[in-house]
């Protein structure tokens, strides 16, 4: 049971570079999310998706983009990396809306922008 | 708007002592509260949710709507309880789950 798979686990970027964080889930969940985790700040929602072709902004979307062409995949794109984007990124999925539903998390991507 | 506050960033107790991790929330609708836990080198995972009214690994949490709180409690702490704990708030009509700042719990031997 793979669950939610994120790649890469670690990455170092130079300022201005771009990259895509991959996330895929095999549970046929409609809802997928991207969070970033900063020390002492908890998890902040970047973007989320309620199904293929539908995405919406979370609390901290600036500097990021997402797409959801399939139910399984929800990649997160950083176009012009900045030091403020140094963080640990978590992808998560749930069967339906988060109101009362359990989230399944990936193992995280530790990103450093230097 | 949804908001969750965990007032303690760090909490340290001795093994066998009681533990209480505080969580307060703000939400205009009917809230759904959760506790998530992240053990060292493991994924973030659900510990418990208020609608289940369950006890997981000896932890319990009661939703107090009057005080808008959902504190996590355990009567006798164990060393394996050392972890990062997040309180999270959803609710009917809410599409997103909002997390608190997290509390790092350390159980000393």
């Amino acid at each position: 049971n793979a669950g939610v798979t994120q790649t890469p686990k670690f990455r170092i970027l130079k300022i201005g570079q771009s990259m895509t964080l991959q996330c895929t889930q095999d549970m046929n969940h409609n809802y997928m999310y991207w969070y970033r985790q900063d020390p002492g700040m908890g998890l902040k929602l970047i973007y989320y998706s309620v199904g293929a072709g539908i995405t919406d902004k979370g609390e901290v979307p600036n500097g990021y983009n997402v797409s959801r062409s399939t139910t399984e995949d929800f990649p997160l794109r950083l176009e012009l990396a900045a030091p403020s984007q140094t963080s640990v990124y978590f992808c998560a999925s749930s069967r339906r809306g988060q109101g009362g539903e359990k989230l399944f998390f990936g193992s995280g991507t530790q990103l450093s922008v230097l | 708007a949804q908001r969750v506050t965990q007032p303690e960033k760090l909490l340290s107790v001795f093994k066998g002592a009681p533990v209480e991790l505080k969580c307060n929330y703000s939400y205009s609708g009917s809230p759904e509260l959760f506790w998530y836990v992240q053990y060292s080198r493991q994924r973030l995972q659900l510990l418990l949710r208020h609608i289940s009214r369950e006890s997981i690994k000896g932890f319990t949490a009661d939703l107090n709507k009057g005080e808008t709180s959902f504190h996590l409690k355990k009567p006798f702490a164990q060393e394996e309880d050392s972890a990062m704990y997040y309180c999270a708030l959803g609710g009917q009509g809410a599409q997103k789950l909002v997390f608190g700042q997290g509390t790092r719990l350390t159980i000393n031997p």
Side-chain angles (χ1 to χ4, degrees), chain A residues 53 61 71 85 88 92 97 104:
Chain A
T71 299
Q85 293 177 304
V88 180
F104 292 81

Side-chain angles (χ1 to χ4, degrees), chain A residues 10-92:
Chain A
F10 304 95
R11 185 71 185 269
I12 297 175
L13 286 181
K14 294 183 179 179
I15 294 172
Q17 285 186 319
S18 61
M19 77 163 294
T20 298
L21 281 68
Q22 301 292 345
C23 176
T24 187
Q25 52 92 7
D26 62 358
M27 296 173 283
N28 202 32
H29 286 171
N30 284 332
Y31 284 73
M32 296 188 74
Y33 317 88
W34 275 105
Y35 287 90
R36 56 177 288 172
Q37 181 187 45
D38 300 311
M41 301 297 289
L43 286 90
K44 299 290 186 184
L45 183 64
I46 305 171
Y47 271 94
Y48 66 100
S49 169
V50 303
I54 307 170
T55 63
D56 207 349
K57 297 178 180 178
E59 302 168 82
V60 289
N62 291 344
Y64 307 95
N65 276 303
V66 293
S67 60
R68 184 92 182 274
S69 57
T70 67
T71 299
E72 294 78 20
D73 301 308
F74 190 42
L76 178 71
R77 179 84 177 160
L78 283 72
E79 291 293 349
L80 293 170
S84 61
Q85 293 177 304
T86 294
S87 187
V88 180
Y89 292 82
F90 289 99
C91 180

